[in-house]
Amino acid sequence: MNTLQYMRQGAVASIPMIVGGIPFGLLFGSLASSYGLSPWFAVAMSAFVFAGSAQFVALGLIALHSPIWVIVSTTFIVNLRHLLYAADLVKFVKHLPMPMRAIMGFGLIDETYAAVRPLYGTGAADEEGGHKVYLGSFISFYVMWNVTTILGVLSGELIPGMSEWGLEFAMVATFIGIITPYLKRRPFWFCMLSAGVASVVLSGLPNNLGLLVSAVIGVAVGYFSDSAVDDEKSIRNGEAQGVGK
Amino acid sequence: MSLLDSVLVILGMFLVTFGVRFVLFARAHKVVMPVFLDRALKFVPVAVLTAIITPMILMPDQYMAITLLNPWLLGGLAAFAVGIWRQQQLLTILVGVVVFFVAKYAISL
């Protein structure tokens, strides 16, 4: 496969989430201008920060006249979950040159992780072309996010009420389509159920903290139930073969 | 906000966001993941994606709505059922989205 084919694969896997993101780019741009912020401010934020939920949180804090250090540290907390993605992807980027890793780091958003990570799992994204698949996803989200931000700044919400349509359900459905293939083994069920329950219970925490804590809980529950299943297996195998340690 | 404040906000947000995303990639060739961590990280996709969408599905208006009048729940359940049954991503998305919008429309009648 050539570079373009790899990139197209990443872009195609991202389509439903790109559609789901459009109203939010428009909403972000129009909210920023309705708060009386300079058009350049919103455009620059989408171009340089490129972090959907953190950008909305920052707008809210600016509207409350929060000090800069509060805005920046809140952004840090809201984006902390990306550390988990990075940790998971380390094994796929370690052979790449530093500038490429920097670009991939800049583009590490929920949606691109969600779109590309399963492709690494199936081998569709390999050592040679995985980063190209990733770039295809990143670039298509980056273009969508910046174009819709500019449109939102220029003309408010292009279609009034568009963010009420529920287009972001496309993202929900895509995430479900990514989760379900994992559910062949019990530890992944435990992981999903615990993360889901925790995220609802903790949904009142500020700054996406509930999301972060729930994710860590889900990973921990998955890990420990995985170890428990393994122990059970090795005990059973040991008995079957008549060898005990 | 003054121009200086705007620049500082964007610069600060850029630094912390990029920092979180890049710090591990920057050391990727030196980082040796302990085995237990590698075993734990395979749960990241399911854990994070579930934690993002469950509140959207169960509490679309910020309070619990486990009812047949909640299109998010209906669409989510339909997608989940199809995903478990067939494991074809496109079909899962399609069925979920169709059920969601049909339910949303029917409920608004």
Side-chain angles (χ1 to χ4, degrees), chain A residues 7-28:
Chain A
M7 289 179 68
R8 196 169 56 204
Q9 212 183 353
V12 167
S14 308
I15 288 173
M17 291 183 275
I18 290 174
V19 173
I22 288 173
F24 290 93
L26 295 173
L27 187 62
F28 175 74

Side-chain angles (χ1 to χ4, degrees), chain A residues 43-182:
Chain A
V43 173
M45 199 189 275
S46 283
F48 293 114
V49 182
F50 189 50
S53 50
Q55 291 181 220
F56 278 100
V57 173
L59 277 193
L61 291 173
I62 290 168
L64 296 172
H65 303 289
S66 306
I68 293 174
W69 71 268
V70 170
I71 300 171
V72 172
S73 49
T74 306
T75 302
F76 174 74
I77 295 168
V78 169
N79 286 331
L80 212 49
R81 67 187 181 284
H82 295 148
L83 208 55
L84 289 173
Y85 302 155
D88 187 32
L89 293 176
V90 156
K91 49 188 172 291
F92 304 119
V93 305
K94 60 172 184 244
H95 64 290
L96 297 169
M98 200 55 83
M100 176 57 70
R101 288 190 226 162
I103 295 170
M104 290 172 76
F106 178 76
L108 184 56
I109 55 174
D110 297 315
E111 289 87 347
T112 288
Y113 175 76
V116 178
R117 180 62 183 86
L119 297 177
Y120 276 114
T122 60
D126 50 22
E127 191 165 308
E128 189 214 324
H131 59 290
K132 298 171 185 168
V133 176
Y134 188 107
L135 284 185
S137 170
F138 157 50
I139 291 169
S140 38
F141 279 110
Y142 191 74
V143 168
M144 178 278 285
W145 188 244
N146 283 278
V147 168
T148 52
T149 298
I150 293 170
L151 288 177
V153 167
L154 289 180
S155 49
E157 263 186 284
L158 274 191
I159 307 169
M162 193 176 177
S163 58
E164 306 290 310
W165 290 1
L167 283 183
E168 71 269 33
F169 187 83
M171 185 187 89
V172 173
T174 308
F175 283 11
I176 293 173
I178 291 165
I179 292 168
T180 45
Y182 283 96

